[in-house]
Amino acid sequence: MKIQENAVVGLTYELKVSKIEDDIESVPFEAEVRDEDDPFYFLFGNSGLPEKFEELMAGKSVGDTFSFVLKVEEAYGEADDELLVSLPKSQFSKENGFNPEMLQEGNFLPLMDEDGYSMQAKVLKDLGENVLLDFNHPLVGFDLHFDGKVIEVREATQEEMEHGHVHGEHGAHE
């Protein structure tokens, strides 16, 4: 089966990132490795991944390898200052599942939006009674360098298509 709309796709890959500063591109550095022991699974056409990523993966089959670079504008774009938000520390209480160490600068907070979807925010600064959070995707502003292999392609179940994500061994309801 080839990667197409409503296919569940399993990949192994190495992701490196680079950034252009002062018109000079940095040397790509490793950001994430997903190997056979921890592959990455997604529902093609409903993944939340950059459109260009899915476009470049379309039509591939199990065993195919891939190597490509997504430029900033094809990936997650540039940082949006409107996604920097100051919130009261009181919202991050023990009763809500948080502890004080989680609010240290540089940490990523596991959060949920009003619809129950997982999201994260990076703690930028402790402002006393408030904390400054960055809700931008962690990979904004970076070129993404992917090298990997397709290890599984299967048809999504009706339930996966209705829910918009992978279920089962490599999905949301393990």
Side-chain angles (χ1 to χ4, degrees):
M1 178 177 181
K2 292 191 180 301
I3 296 176
Q4 61 191 358
E5 194 78 19
N6 294 322
V8 170
V9 180
L11 307 174
T12 58
Y13 64 81
E14 178 181 23
L15 169 62
K16 292 182 178 180
V17 297
S18 62
K19 191 174 222 155
I20 295 179
E21 293 184 53
D22 300 323
D23 294 327
I24 299 171
E25 184 167 5
S26 66
V27 174
F29 59 93
E30 189 175 283
E32 181 178 37
V33 174
R34 299 299 292 262
D35 59 19
E36 295 276 345
D37 294 331
D38 184 28
F40 175 69
Y41 281 82
F42 66 97
L43 180 59
F44 190 85
N46 197 8
S47 66
L49 296 167
E51 284 181 37
K52 186 69 174 180
F53 179 90
E54 286 200 352
E55 179 184 312
L56 293 167
M57 295 304 299
K60 296 196 178 305
S61 301
V62 172
D64 287 352
T65 59
F66 56 92
S67 181
F68 54 80
V69 176
L70 298 182
K71 294 294 188 186
V72 169
E73 57 277 3
E74 299 169 321
Y76 294 100
E78 297 291 350
D80 181 350
D81 289 344
E82 290 185 21
L83 295 176
L84 304 180
V85 180
S86 176
L87 294 173
K89 281 186 186 174
S90 59
Q91 288 188 342
F92 305 100
S93 66
K94 189 174 186 175
E95 294 77 32
N96 291 335
F98 296 94
N99 62 54
E101 293 80 38
M102 295 173 82
L103 297 179
Q104 291 180 355
E105 292 178 17
N107 284 350
F108 285 90
L109 294 176
L111 303 171
M112 221 172 259
D113 69 12
E114 57 275 353
D115 296 320
Y117 291 103
S118 295
M119 58 189 293
Q120 64 180 5
K122 183 177 183 179
V123 179
L124 292 183
K125 191 156 185 69
D126 183 333
L127 302 171
E129 293 295 313
N130 292 336
V131 62
L132 182 62
L133 301 178
D134 183 353
F135 284 89
N136 282 290
H137 191 282
L139 296 174
V140 297
F142 288 100
D143 290 341
L144 309 181
H145 305 252
F146 285 95
D147 287 294
K149 182 177 180 178
V150 179
I151 62 166
E152 185 177 343
V153 181
R154 67 169 173 79
E155 224 175 281
T157 65
Q158 187 63 40
E159 185 179 35
E160 287 171 323
M161 288 187 286
E162 288 170 5
H163 290 187
H165 57 254
V166 179
H167 288 189
E169 183 181 353
H170 303 289
H173 299 283
E174 296 188 77

